[in-house]
Amino acid sequence: MFEKLKALEERYEEINNKLMDPDIINDQALYTSLMKEYKNITPIIEKFREYKKAKASFDEAVELLEAGGLEKDFKEMVQLQYDESKEQEEVLTEELKILLLPKDPNDDKNVIIEIRGGAGGEEASLFANSLYRMYTMYSESKGWKIEVLSANETELGGYKEISFSIQGEGAYSRLKYESGVHRVQRVPETESQGRVHTSTVTVAVLPEADDVEFEINEATDLKIDVFRASGAGGQHINKTESAVRITYLPTGLVVECQDERSQHKNKEKALKVLRSKLYEEQQRAQETEIAAVRRSQVGTGDRSERIRTYNYPEGRVSEHRIGLTIYRLEQFLNGNMDEVIDALATADQAAKLSMQEEGNL
């Protein structure tokens, strides 16, 4: 680990020098790439330098104690230095192990979230709206930008499905744990007997793909259809054919977008969703080649897996993947999600750390 850290520190200094080179400053693409690498390495190097200070202090204390002949007061002071620096060194070593874990290359990407009502009919659609509101409020608390890409509303104000993009630093790193089946237990507004119903909603979180990551030949790969947009109860219906449906011919994958009144904007949004779906499919194909022990990580949950239950009568949220239950349902649905997301991220790190130590990562 320390050989790797020394090499990383050398690279850090190399990049630092390059960033002051006028030729590199004028090469925007190279400069941006180096800045990104520099930013990613910086927390590791800062922690490594803290570790080296603690180790130097520990080594100094060991040397003084082994030499002997110290006065009582000075010996006590050196012993305190020994104890504190030893503890600090151990803590920093564990923190460095976590910082050196392989980083998800998608963590810094924007995301596209798709929410679909599952079992439960109208009640599932209403809860899909609740989840959309929750992610919207969470994103706003982080200063992220939200843009609806496509929405299929119901008469009662729910969503059969809705897809939207979230743009902001670290969006995928926080929201990637949300993919899966979300279960809600509550008394529907339409239920006269006061019985608790169970409904489900599926959430898919896709890293937004850059153009360079997936090449699409529009002339040969795509079939593009335009049609009139429709809305719930006849509302917001366009009289022009502005809605766009794109079929990716090699696989038959279909995406639609009708949220904008402009056909051009709808096509642009649909292509964004298509690229991200194709990128995700490519990643999933690669993941199937990885050992099952790797796929058991928290961050790679299957969409068909029930990951969380929202129980209204008890006011609780139960996160099934890590056995965590909190009794702050209202706050959670108002976007206060960090407690659960932090716990999921910690569990994911612990799983990766365990696999790294076993040589499986």
Side-chain angles (χ1 to χ4, degrees):
M1 181 178 84
F2 293 106
E3 289 302 315
K4 185 176 180 179
L5 284 164
K6 286 173 186 174
L8 210 54
E9 189 171 34
E10 287 175 10
R11 175 61 179 161
Y12 180 80
E13 292 300 337
E14 181 188 348
I15 297 171
N16 194 27
N17 290 330
K18 283 183 176 181
L19 290 172
M20 293 184 282
D21 185 331
D23 291 336
I24 287 175
I25 292 171
N26 292 329
D27 185 336
Q28 195 61 42
L30 179 57
Y31 183 79
T32 301
S33 174
L34 287 171
M35 274 300 295
K36 186 175 180 181
E37 187 181 355
Y38 186 79
K39 183 182 174 184
N40 288 335
I41 296 175
T42 297
I44 303 172
I45 301 307
E46 287 176 349
K47 194 66 66 177
F48 181 42
R49 288 173 176 173
E50 277 185 58
Y51 168 84
K52 288 196 291 185
K53 282 183 183 177
K55 188 177 187 308
S57 177
F58 175 74
D59 291 344
E60 180 187 45
V62 169
E63 192 177 331
L64 288 168
L65 290 170
E66 286 179 350
L70 304 176
E71 292 182 5
K72 183 183 175 184
D73 288 349
F74 185 56
K75 185 178 181 180
E76 287 176 359
M77 188 172 68
V78 172
Q79 184 63 49
L80 182 63
Q81 177 182 329
Y82 173 92
D83 294 338
E84 287 180 349
S85 55
K86 183 183 179 184
E87 183 182 355
Q88 190 180 11
E89 192 179 340
E90 289 170 356
V91 169
L92 290 167
T93 299
E94 292 306 309
E95 290 177 355
L96 281 167
K97 284 180 184 177
I98 291 170
L99 285 170
L100 284 173
L101 286 173
K103 189 179 178 185
D104 187 333
N106 294 319
D107 275 354
D108 293 329
K109 291 184 182 290
N110 299 326
V111 299
I112 290 173
I113 296 183
E114 296 179 334
I115 303 174
R116 286 186 170 85
E122 185 63 47
E123 173 63 8
S125 297
L126 288 169
F127 190 61
N129 188 8
S130 297
L131 289 184
Y132 168 62
R133 176 180 175 273
M134 177 181 80
Y135 293 130
T136 298
M137 295 181 78
Y138 181 69
S139 299
E140 286 172 352
S141 73
K142 299 293 181 186
W144 298 337
K145 181 185 174 186
I146 302 155
E147 182 181 21
V148 173
L149 301 173
S150 181
N152 187 349
E153 297 177 55
T154 65
E155 294 280 353
L156 297 181
Y159 289 111
K160 288 182 181 177
E161 58 184 72
I162 181 169
S163 64
F164 52 100
S165 67
I166 297 176
Q167 300 168 25
E169 188 174 347
Y172 185 77
S173 70
R174 300 296 288 169
L175 293 168
K176 63 184 176 182
Y177 305 108
E178 295 300 300
S179 284
V181 176
H182 295 240
R183 183 175 70 168
V184 59
Q185 295 171 325
R186 64 181 178 185
V187 179
E189 292 176 18
T190 54
E191 171 59 59
S192 59
Q193 303 297 320
R195 293 175 299 182
V196 174
H197 283 221
T198 297
S199 305
T200 59
V201 170
T202 60
V203 174
V205 180
L206 316 175
E208 189 175 294
D210 298 327
D211 289 351
V212 295
E213 289 171 334
F214 216 101
E215 290 186 18
I216 295 174
N217 186 324
E218 285 197 33
T220 60
D221 294 344
L222 304 181
K223 178 189 175 193
I224 301 176
D225 299 307
V226 294
F227 57 98
R228 290 187 182 182
S230 59
Q235 294 177 348
H236 312 302
I237 296 178
N238 261 333
K239 294 181 180 179
T240 58
E241 293 187 334
S242 60
V244 175
R245 180 186 297 112
I246 299 179
T247 305
Y248 183 65
L249 296 174
T251 64
L253 178 65
V254 178
V255 296
E256 290 183 4
C257 188
Q258 57 178 333
D259 197 60
E260 298 285 346
R261 294 187 180 275
S262 157
Q263 185 185 116
H264 175 73
K265 286 184 179 178
N266 279 327
K267 180 185 173 185
E268 193 178 283
K269 286 185 175 183
L271 280 170
K272 183 188 287 188
V273 175
L274 178 66
R275 285 184 184 280
S276 295
K277 286 194 171 188
L278 290 172
Y279 178 60
E280 189 210 26
E281 283 183 2
Q282 187 182 63
Q283 283 193 307
R284 285 184 177 273
Q286 291 169 352
E287 283 174 9
T288 58
E289 299 172 10
I290 301 171
V293 67
R294 289 281 301 276
R295 295 200 303 273
S296 68
Q297 294 169 26
V298 172
T300 55
D302 194 281
R303 275 191 216 170
S304 61
E305 178 192 0
R306 189 191 74 196
I307 62 166
R308 191 177 297 148
T309 295
Y310 305 77
N311 185 295
Y312 276 68
E314 296 177 17
R316 67 172 165 84
V317 179
S318 296
E319 178 50 63
H320 303 298
R321 290 166 291 179
I322 54 174
L324 173 67
T325 295
I326 62 170
Y327 289 87
R328 287 180 290 283
L329 174 64
E330 186 179 350
Q331 294 96 316
F332 191 81
L333 288 171
N334 283 335
N336 296 316
M337 301 171 63
D338 276 330
E339 181 180 357
V340 171
I341 290 176
D342 286 344
L344 287 164
T346 300
D348 194 27
Q349 281 182 345
K352 287 176 180 174
L353 196 57
S354 176
M355 283 183 282
Q356 187 180 65
E357 288 169 353
E358 292 168 8
N360 292 318
L361 191 63

